[in-house]
Amino acid sequence: MIFTTRDLDILRFLRWCRFVLAEDLTSAFYKAEVQNLEILRLIKLYSPAQAYTLTASGNRLLDAAFPKLPATVAPAYKAADTLRRIRQAKLMTTAYQAGVPVFTTDVSALCEQAMFLPMIARNRGTNPWGSTRVAALLHTGDLMCAIHWVNPGIGCVALTDELTAFQNHTASIPAKQRAIIFAASSYEEILAELDAGQEIQNTRLQTYREVYDCLKLPLFLLPCNGTGCLQLRIMGAPNYRELLAKIILKTHYVPPPADRTMYDAMYQGAPFVMAADMNLRRIDAAVETACSDGLSQIVLAALPEQAETVLNRRYRETGKARVFTITDSALRELLGSTAPYTPPDLPFYTSEGSVLDVPPLKAP
C-alpha cells in the first residue's frame, strides 16, 4: 500500500487538532481511507467522544514525512480539553474544504493570500497570545480575521486584550481589512448565545452579545458545515460583494450612492445587500439607512441555509427586506465550482522524492 496525499492530510489533521470527530473526518475524506489508517494502527477511535486521534506509529510516520510539524503531544482526555480540540477541528475542516491551506504553525504564513492558522500552541511554553480566546486566524481575500467559537454558555471575553493581541500579531501582514468571525456548528448556536447574553457590570469581561454590539470591526457569523465552507469561498474572492451583485442583477444592476457603503447596489429603486458573508450588523445598518431615506424595504441575497435559518425570520417576516437565494449558476460564475476542495488521490512524495508505503496486511 502506497500512502496518498489524502492519507497524509488525515494524519496531519490529527497532529494539528489531536481529536477530530469521526463524522467530521469522514465528511472531508472517504470513509474507506479513514478505516485503512485505523487498520494500520496509525489512528484510533476514542470511543467516549467518537473522535479519532493519532497513535505513536502515526506520529512517527508524520515525522518521517514532514520536516516541520507541531510538537508531538499526548492527547488530554479531560472532557473540556477534548471538546475544545473537536471545535478547532471543525474550524479547520471548514477552512480546508474551502480550499484554504490549514497546516500552518506560524503567523508569518498568513502573509500568503489565503491561509488559516489554528491556535495549536496555546498554553505550551511561550504563549504570546496570553489568555485570549481567539481560536484561529484566517487570511482570505481582502480580510484578515480572528475567529472565535461562540455557542451557548461559552462565557465572556476581554475585548481590549483580544483586539490588542490580534493587531500586534498581524501587524506585519500587508494592509488588509481586519475583521472578527463568530463561528460554531450552526448559525442557530451563534445566535442563541448572542440573544441570551446579559450585561455584566464592573468587570473587564464582556459577553459576546456585548462584543457584537460594541465592536467597531466588521463581524461575520460562520457555521462549520457545507454552507460555511461555501461562505468562506465567497469571502475569499476579492471584491466579492460587487462581483456577486453584478452577476445576480445583470442588466438591472445600478451602483449604490457613494455615501451608502452599506449598500452593494440599487435594484428597482431599493437598496440591494449581498448577505452571503453574514455580516448582520451591516444588514441592520442598511435597514436603518433605508428607513431614514424613506424606503420601506431592502433586498437581500444569500445562500439557501442562510435565508431559511436566519434571514427570513429576522428580515422577511418582519417586513424589513425581501430575501432571495443565490443560484448555483451565479456561484459557479463567481467561483468556477461550488464543490468543496478535495486533495488529489495521488501518491505522497517526500522532499527526497520517495514514496511512503507499507506491506500488504491481512484483514483483522
Side-chain angles (χ1 to χ4, degrees):
M1 170 183 169
I2 295 178
F3 289 103
T4 68
T5 54
R6 299 171 62 87
D7 295 325
L8 270 295
D9 277 4
I10 293 173
L11 298 180
R12 285 198 288 175
F13 253 101
L14 295 175
R15 181 69 164 259
W16 259 254
C17 301
R18 299 184 202 164
F19 290 101
V20 182
L21 284 181
E23 62 185 37
D24 291 341
L25 203 57
T26 54
S27 72
F29 302 94
Y30 299 134
K31 188 174 182 178
E33 294 171 325
V34 176
Q35 290 175 335
N36 282 342
L37 295 176
E38 189 175 9
I39 291 171
L40 294 171
R41 295 176 182 164
L42 298 174
I43 67 176
K44 63 182 179 181
L45 184 68
Y46 175 55
S47 297
Q50 284 299 294
Y52 280 102
T53 188
L54 271 179
T55 64
S57 297
N59 277 310
R60 286 194 297 269
L61 178 64
L62 277 179
D63 288 332
F66 296 100
K68 186 177 180 181
L69 293 166
T72 303
V73 179
Y77 291 99
K78 292 181 180 179
D81 292 335
T82 303
L83 179 60
R84 183 164 57 250
R85 292 293 178 170
I86 286 172
R87 287 171 174 171
Q88 184 137 73
K90 286 182 177 290
L91 285 172
M92 274 191 69
T93 303
T94 304
Y96 179 82
Q97 292 188 292
V100 180
V102 298
F103 301 119
T104 53
T105 58
D106 190 86
V107 173
S108 62
L110 294 170
C111 291
E112 300 295 331
Q113 184 60 29
M115 196 66 68
F116 177 91
L117 176 68
M119 297 291 103
I120 55 173
R122 302 300 293 270
N123 302 322
R124 291 191 60 80
T126 302
N127 181 14
W129 287 88
S131 59
T132 58
R133 300 191 65 163
V134 62
L137 297 177
L138 172 70
H139 179 188
T140 184
D142 300 323
L143 297 169
M144 175 59 64
C145 305
I147 305 178
H148 287 245
W149 187 275
V150 177
N151 70 323
I154 197 65
C156 299
V157 62
L159 180 59
T160 301
D161 293 348
E162 296 287 345
L163 295 179
T164 300
F166 180 33
Q167 179 60 41
N168 289 345
H169 286 281
T170 60
S172 61
I173 310 301
K176 297 288 180 182
Q177 172 67 64
R178 265 55 180 177
I180 301 294
I181 292 177
F182 285 177
S185 296
S186 65
Y187 292 119
E188 293 94 333
E189 282 194 5
I190 305 170
L191 292 173
E193 173 62 15
L194 297 184
D195 293 340
Q198 299 295 321
E199 289 190 7
I200 296 180
Q201 303 295 333
N202 303 319
T203 176
R204 293 176 61 249
L205 298 179
Q206 295 174 285
T207 65
Y208 276 101
R209 172 71 217 191
E210 291 175 293
V211 172
Y212 180 88
D213 289 336
C214 72
L215 187 69
K216 304 301 182 184
L217 299 178
L219 196 158
F220 307 95
L221 309 187
L222 178 75
C224 294
N225 58 19
T227 296
C229 167
L230 201 51
Q231 179 181 330
L232 283 184
R233 292 191 60 197
I234 292 171
M235 293 169 65
N239 201 26
Y240 61 90
R241 292 194 185 109
E242 181 182 348
L243 288 176
L244 259 180
K246 289 180 176 178
I247 290 171
I248 293 170
L249 299 180
K250 299 187 183 331
T251 58
H252 296 285
Y253 173 83
V254 175
D259 61 345
R260 293 292 184 262
T261 57
M262 67 292 295
Y263 301 166
D264 296 311
M266 298 299 293
Y267 173 63
Q268 296 179 346
F272 179 91
V273 177
M274 180 54 55
D277 58 11
M278 290 301 283
N279 185 342
L280 298 187
R281 300 190 312 168
R282 184 171 184 266
I283 298 173
D284 291 337
V287 169
E288 293 176 7
T289 303
C291 184
S292 67
D293 290 343
L295 302 171
S296 60
Q297 280 189 327
I298 65 172
V299 178
L300 301 177
L303 300 174
E305 182 185 344
Q306 296 169 341
E308 293 168 8
T309 62
V310 181
L311 302 180
N312 286 344
R313 184 175 68 255
R314 292 174 71 98
Y315 302 102
R316 190 185 70 179
E317 295 172 10
T318 56
K320 296 177 181 178
R322 288 183 289 164
V323 180
F324 298 100
T325 56
I326 304 172
T327 63
D328 284 343
S329 61
L331 291 173
R332 285 194 296 271
E333 188 171 343
L334 176 72
L335 304 174
S337 169
T338 58
Y341 166 77
T342 56
D345 192 13
L346 298 171
F348 172 81
Y349 291 94
T350 66
S351 56
E352 290 80 21
S354 59
V355 297
L356 298 174
D357 62 359
V358 293
L361 296 179
K362 293 181 180 180

